[in-house]
Amino acid sequence: MLTGANLIGTNLKKAILYRASLQLVNLSQAILTEADLREANLSEALLYKTSLPKAQLPRAVLRQAILQRAYLHGANLSQATFLEANLQEANLTNADLSGVNLRGANLEAAFLVEANLFQASVEGANLNRTILTGAIMPDGTIYKY
């Protein structure tokens, strides 16, 4: 368990973090290329009904990372690189994905309810069955369906 760890700029290329608890972890600018984060929990934690700071991954590199069914509710992923990453069925509800690179990523059946995708690159991303209700889209509009 790495809850609350400060891993800024750490190289975790090809790390196996399957089902890891990474709540409140600061992974800003970390390199997670080809890392296995399936079912990992990177959500904001609740303690005594008080919301604590959320997981921090701004400018992290998650190129070709596996994040199937990862729990990223409320995480800060701004300006991260998810080029060709697998985010199938991931929960990105309320996540900050502003300015992220999701080109070629698999987001099939992912939950992006009320996520911030402003200025995100989504060319070639698989968005089949992705739930985007209330999400801020790359052009700044709010998805209403």
Side-chain angles (χ1 to χ4, degrees):
M1 184 160 86
L2 295 169
T3 301
N6 185 354
L7 300 173
I8 295 172
T10 303
N11 186 344
L12 297 169
K13 183 176 181 178
K14 296 187 180 184
I16 298 172
L17 297 165
Y18 175 69
R19 289 191 174 171
S21 179
L22 300 168
Q23 294 172 307
L24 309 176
V25 172
N26 189 341
L27 289 162
S28 298
Q29 302 175 35
I31 298 169
L32 292 151
T33 300
E34 299 178 36
D36 182 350
L37 291 151
R38 285 175 297 143
E39 300 180 29
N41 185 350
L42 293 116
S43 69
E44 56 186 324
L46 296 176
L47 182 63
Y48 304 112
K49 299 183 182 180
T50 303
S51 180
L52 295 174
K54 47 197 162 193
Q56 300 293 319
L57 288 100
R59 296 179 303 284
V61 179
L62 294 119
R63 184 176 287 119
Q64 297 177 332
I66 304 166
L67 294 120
Q68 282 180 292
R69 294 179 298 283
Y71 192 73
L72 295 144
H73 186 275
N76 179 358
L77 304 164
S78 62
Q79 299 178 0
T81 300
F82 289 94
L83 186 66
E84 299 177 356
N86 186 346
L87 293 146
Q88 190 173 17
E89 298 179 26
N91 186 334
L92 295 150
T93 301
N94 287 74
D96 182 0
L97 295 158
S98 58
V100 299
N101 180 349
L102 290 164
R103 290 193 324 253
N106 181 4
L107 291 151
E108 184 173 359
F111 296 89
L112 284 98
V113 176
E114 297 183 1
N116 180 3
L117 291 157
F118 184 64
Q119 295 183 337
S121 296
V122 295
E123 295 84 13
N126 178 358
L127 298 171
N128 291 332
R129 300 185 299 131
T130 300
I131 300 170
L132 293 158
T133 307
I136 299 170
M137 301 306 287
D139 65 359
T141 61
I142 296 177
Y143 193 84
K144 296 184 182 182
Y145 301 101

